[in-house]
Amino acid sequence: MNFFPSRTLAFYMAKMLTLRTLAVLALLVLVLQALDLLGESGRILAQEGNGQGELWTYVTLRAPQLVARFLPFAVLLGTIVTAATLNQNSEVISMKAGGLSAHQILAPLIITSMFVAIISFLFNETVVAPATARLSAWEKVEYGPIPAASNVRTNVWVRDGSNLVNAKTVIGRGTDVVLRDITIYDRSSNGLRSLMEGKEATFTGSSWMMTGVTQFNVLTGTEEQKDSMIVGDTLRPDQFTLANVNAAGLSFWQLRSAIAELKEAGRPTMGLEASFWHKISGPLSAVLMPLLGAVAAFGLARSGQLFVRAVLGMALGFAYFVADNFSLAMGTIGAYPPILAAWAPFFLFFLIGETVLIRTEE
């Protein structure tokens, strides 16, 4: 029952997995970042005033997303390389000859992947979520200047009866919301009646105070300018702050708060709840990778089946990612319950990995 009969052996295997995972992750991020930058550099440089600094800004915002997305892949490939190396050098045979079971051989790798999962979760909360929110806001303004505030939403559309309201920038939460570059389309059953534009609008408690107003009357063709104007008696602040909730751009606790606000407003939250639970199950998927890639560690290397076993481990790992993405998509559209959408692939492939390991090695 002692899963770590040798401390030296445990640290040796943990070090092997860590180094190979970091090497694979660095290679993946470097190649994918280069390809992604080639595709987006034209759009970034097309914005007047953008240059090399904006390209580096894009890299710093995009690279954390790539690290978070491909870290479980890196653990899978790192496990397969580690397992194949141990098998090729007959180290697995030596461990089994010393009395270690398959689970004892994998235990250091699984513990290492648990630490990777914890680091991944913390990295997602502190780095990836803010970077994703800022990059999303930057993309919506075509890589132009965006406010430095962290709680910024861009290009938000809200329906007010038959009218449409567009705010290029929404800053703040609750009653402290500030709208900038507002356009109000006053429509009737016969079409557009007037077009109103304003520089900034703040919530007064029952309506909105809009400054720098320019109103164009479509019927008469006249334009009128005012310093300020009261508008939107039926518009609520949460219509702007909750209009576009980007789960990837919010941390675990921020997303939980947004879901609570949406529920109070009577809006559907199943898709966001699936993403909420996936913020835990996603990083935790790294723990599955040593189990799914373990088939490469066992079997005789001289039998010529090491390559086949490595491919089988890779296939199991990639099958998990396909199932995970499919389940999350089903949860987002409400076809699956949120908890099932986030956790079903994890437990399914945990059972598959254990079944393969027990039937073949134990």
Side-chain angles (χ1 to χ4, degrees), residues 117-118 120-121 124-125 252-253 255 273-287 320 324 342-343 346:
I118 294 173
S120 176
F121 177 79
N124 291 347
E125 293 294 289
F252 182 82
W253 299 110
L255 182 56
E273 288 181 48
S275 299
F276 171 77
W277 288 111
H278 195 262
K279 284 185 176 290
I280 301 176
S281 65
L284 202 60
S285 64
V287 180
Y320 165 77
D324 185 55
W343 289 103
F346 179 88

Side-chain angles (χ1 to χ4, degrees), residues 93-258:
I93 298 296
S94 300
M95 294 181 211
K96 297 183 79 172
L100 271 66
S101 68
H103 283 86
Q104 286 175 315
I105 294 173
L106 293 180
L109 304 183
I110 294 176
I111 295 299
T112 303
S113 64
M114 286 182 180
F115 281 104
V116 172
I118 294 173
I119 294 172
S120 176
F121 177 79
L122 296 176
F123 181 73
N124 291 347
E125 293 294 289
T126 58
V127 179
V128 178
T132 300
R134 187 160 178 80
L135 181 58
S136 177
W138 197 23
E139 288 175 340
K140 288 182 179 179
V141 295
E142 297 293 332
Y143 299 108
I146 61 173
S150 59
N151 53 347
V152 174
R153 299 163 185 81
T154 55
N155 196 29
V156 177
W157 288 85
V158 173
R159 184 166 184 160
D160 181 26
S162 61
N163 303 333
L164 289 176
V165 181
N166 174 241
K168 294 298 183 184
T169 307
V170 179
I171 304 175
R173 299 181 67 85
T175 57
D176 297 328
V177 169
V178 176
L179 311 180
R180 291 179 181 171
D181 298 327
I182 313 104
T183 304
I184 300 177
Y185 300 87
D186 186 4
R187 303 188 303 173
S188 66
S189 57
N190 297 325
L192 185 65
R193 290 187 300 186
S194 65
L195 184 68
M196 187 184 303
E197 295 180 343
K199 293 182 179 180
E200 186 174 287
T202 56
F203 188 63
T204 63
S206 58
S207 58
W208 297 83
M209 174 64 73
M210 188 162 64
T211 59
V213 180
T214 300
Q215 187 173 14
F216 177 76
N217 192 313
V218 176
L219 300 178
T220 61
T222 58
E223 185 177 276
E224 184 180 2
Q225 295 185 351
K226 298 180 180 179
D227 293 335
S228 62
M229 187 175 180
I230 299 294
V231 297
D233 295 340
T234 58
L235 284 173
R236 304 185 312 274
D238 60 33
Q239 290 180 266
F240 294 94
T241 58
L242 301 178
N244 296 318
V245 178
N246 180 15
L250 298 176
S251 67
F252 182 82
W253 299 110
Q254 289 174 335
L255 182 56
R256 182 181 180 182
S257 176

